[in-house]
Amino acid sequence: MDYTSDIRAVAIDLDGTTLCSDGTMGEFTQNTLKLCRDKGIQVILCTGRSPAAAEPFRYLLNITGPMVYYNGAAVIDMPNGTLRAGSLVPPDIIQGCVDIALQRDIHFHSFLPGDWLVYQKERAETALYESRTGLRGRVVDMKALFGYGDGKQTGAIKGMFIADPAILDEVEKELDNRFDGRIYRARSHNNYLEVMAAGVSKGQGLSVALQLRGIPSEAAIAFGDAENDLPMAEVVSHFYAPANAIEPVRMRSYAVVESNDDEGPARFLWKLLQE
């Protein structure tokens, strides 16, 4: 493939891929992605983050059009904020997740339509998540919020457990036993376990975003580092992983580039742009 002429879109994960470990986007990455944009290669955010948490980077790059948020649970046209596609996790599943979190005394939060972040109580993980994303949630009675009757939530965009990886291994098994076939779950970090509606994934969201942009999947490439990025590999022509990616992602990638802290994805793109 002659990348400079055939690639029309590049899908980028943020955390662990195009962001450094401190949560910032390096200057070289910024310049390279802007160059992609200027050369007519559309840059598509494909992130587990909410629109608000990803907005500083979208704004920084001055990129527009359908973007993939919440691991594919929402495809939103930016910057106007129009929802183009989305799926909600049913209320009973969110209630079940709250039960699991309370029984194990671990953190669980969910995002409501409108980008509202809610959780059962303040915990150490609450502050850590806020510092990482810049989002401030609110304490609610989540069991009641996702109950039944007038005024109750009809579902959540996604839920997330934050806990020790070994505990999340057990939570995954419990989720599968309770909700087999009704959810899509994935790790976005080793201590983040995200729960979305069945059929949701970054791959599905990216496929929708590409269709909305009029770009065939074979004219797109993608970069990702974690389990939740793997579905993108089923959509694009070539999927690349930074050296810091987990082993299953590195094994599935077409090639491994330098790490996120070395701005590997951007350095790889820069070389392609020079061809």
Side-chain angles (χ1 to χ4, degrees):
M1 174 184 285
D2 178 358
Y3 286 99
T4 55
S5 61
D6 292 345
I7 288 182
R8 295 175 54 193
V10 54
I12 58 167
D13 170 52
L14 290 175
D15 296 280
T17 302
T18 51
L19 299 187
C20 298
S21 296
D22 63 2
T24 62
M25 181 175 284
E27 185 176 352
F28 187 85
T29 297
Q30 295 176 39
N31 292 337
T32 301
L33 292 174
K34 288 176 181 177
L35 182 60
C36 286
R37 179 203 67 199
D38 293 344
K39 284 182 171 288
I41 298 174
Q42 298 186 36
V43 179
I44 305 173
L45 298 183
C46 204
T47 177
R49 288 187 178 222
S50 70
E55 180 58 16
F57 305 105
R58 188 208 66 78
Y59 182 82
L60 179 67
L61 298 172
N62 191 24
I63 52 178
T64 61
M67 306 289 176
V68 181
Y69 299 101
Y70 303 113
N71 286 320
V75 177
I76 300 175
D77 207 340
M78 299 297 288
N80 60 35
T82 302
L83 178 67
R84 303 300 297 273
S87 300
L88 295 180
V89 185
D92 67 300
I93 292 178
I94 296 297
Q95 286 191 321
C97 289
V98 174
D99 286 337
I100 292 171
L102 291 173
Q103 290 164 6
R104 294 178 177 271
D105 191 25
I106 59 176
H107 175 85
F108 177 78
H109 68 237
S110 65
F111 281 91
L112 310 182
D115 217 5
W116 290 101
L117 171 63
V118 297
Y119 37 78
Q120 191 73 18
K121 63 179 180 178
E122 296 272 2
R123 302 177 60 99
E125 295 87 351
T126 309
L128 289 173
Y129 188 77
E130 178 182 350
S131 66
R132 185 182 184 91
T133 63
L135 300 179
R136 177 66 180 170
R138 56 180 176 175
V139 176
V140 300
D141 182 344
M142 292 182 69
K143 291 282 287 184
L145 183 66
F146 291 95
Y148 301 96
D150 294 339
K152 304 300 182 182
Q153 287 294 321
T154 56
I157 299 172
K158 77 169 184 177
M160 178 190 285
F161 294 92
I162 303 178
D164 181 89
I167 294 175
L168 294 183
D169 289 343
E170 295 302 315
V171 172
E172 286 182 330
K173 296 175 184 176
E174 189 166 355
L175 288 171
D176 291 346
N177 288 333
R178 284 196 184 200
F179 307 117
D180 182 38
R182 297 186 61 206
I183 63 169
Y184 164 66
R185 58 166 179 78
R187 300 278 186 99
S188 52
H189 298 282
N190 64 348
N191 62 335
Y192 286 7
L193 173 59
E194 308 202 25
V195 180
M196 283 72 61
V200 165
S201 73
K202 282 192 179 185
Q204 185 270 345
L206 178 56
S207 180
V208 171
L210 289 170
Q211 290 174 8
L212 290 169
R213 291 169 178 265
I215 298 174
S217 59
E218 60 268 22
I221 63 173
F223 295 85
D225 73 300
E227 179 187 19
N228 63 326
D229 296 310
L230 282 170
M232 291 195 291
E234 306 302 322
V235 175
V236 298
S237 62
H238 290 81
F239 174 78
Y240 299 93
N244 57 286
I246 63 172
E247 184 177 2
V249 174
R250 296 197 308 271
M251 294 294 291
R252 179 62 183 82
S253 67
Y254 183 76
V256 176
V257 302
E258 293 179 68
S259 73
N260 64 324
D261 286 330
D262 292 324
E263 301 189 68
R267 296 188 186 282
F268 181 81
L269 283 170
W270 181 267
K271 291 178 182 178
L272 294 182
L273 292 171
Q274 309 312 307
E275 293 181 359

